Amino acid sequence: MANEGLASTYANAVFEEALAQWLIPLRTVAASLKPDLVAKLDDPALTFSKKQELLKPCLPANTLKPVENFLFLLASKNNVALLNDIIVILDRFAQHENWGTTAKVTSAIALIDSEKTAIETKMRAQFGKDLAFEFVVDPAILGGVLVRVGDKVIDGSVAGKLAALQEKLK
């Protein structure tokens, strides 16, 4: 493309404006939701119409219909409690960080910085430089590490190796 840089500038401006039209009302709603209201909105026993009735007063005046529908969808699926996490991820998108690709690295014990750096270097070489990392400790894996990037799993855990050995012995 001859004008790819200019096209990218325009596309970025449109993306940021569209994202702002979602983030502002979502943040407003999230700030107004008290824990007891979230519990009601996520209660499967409550009817959808009652959930809409409870949620509508939380919506800013000029909320776009798709944003309103999204919030109603969360309520209908009993997932309003996810709203703050959704906002965090959208913020990451807005900052052009990794565009949602995260490597979840699970280890039996906390990793030291040099181990984290080595894993990050290897994973970025395989999955791209914009990869973000989440490090989790789970003693159940016994040792080693388990890495999940999207739908890919790299199982270097002791528990995983024992499970594989058990399968071979069957």
Side-chain angles (χ1 to χ4, degrees):
M1 267 190 247
N3 292 316
E4 187 173 343
L6 184 58
S8 179
T9 300
Y10 283 119
N12 189 46
V14 169
F15 175 78
E16 287 178 7
E17 180 60 28
L19 196 56
Q21 289 180 15
W22 277 75
L23 275 173
I24 293 168
L26 291 178
R27 283 190 186 116
T28 302
V29 170
S32 70
L33 292 176
K34 303 297 180 230
D36 60 323
L37 180 55
V38 172
K40 285 180 185 176
L41 292 168
D42 283 352
D43 181 359
L46 200 63
T47 65
F48 179 63
S49 60
K50 183 65 177 170
K51 290 179 182 190
Q52 286 179 301
E53 184 181 311
L54 290 171
L55 196 52
K56 279 188 181 184
C58 301
L59 299 174
N62 295 332
T63 302
L64 298 174
K65 195 67 174 169
V67 176
E68 181 180 321
N69 289 341
F70 174 72
L71 290 164
F72 290 156
L73 173 70
L74 288 179
S76 75
K77 300 292 185 183
N78 309 316
N79 287 322
V80 173
L82 295 176
L83 184 57
N84 285 320
D85 293 335
I86 292 166
I87 291 168
V88 167
I89 294 167
L90 286 172
D91 279 333
R92 195 179 311 147
F93 289 169
Q95 296 166 16
H96 305 285
E97 290 179 12
N98 72 54
W99 298 98
T101 305
T102 301
K104 182 176 180 182
V105 181
T106 305
S107 58
I109 59 171
L111 300 174
I112 62 174
D113 288 340
S114 61
E115 292 168 327
K116 288 180 180 180
T117 302
I119 290 170
E120 288 175 2
T121 301
K122 287 180 182 177
M123 293 297 102
R124 284 192 172 117
Q126 187 172 350
F127 294 100
K129 65 180 176 71
D130 292 331
L131 192 62
F133 290 86
E134 174 187 354
F135 290 91
V136 178
V137 175
D138 181 2
I141 70 166
L142 303 175
V145 294
L146 176 69
V147 181
R148 293 177 198 269
V149 180
D151 62 349
K152 303 233 186 307
V153 176
I154 301 168
D155 192 349
S157 69
V158 172
K161 290 178 182 176
L162 288 173
L165 181 60
Q166 184 180 16
E167 275 300 311
K168 284 183 182 178
L169 292 174
K170 284 185 180 179

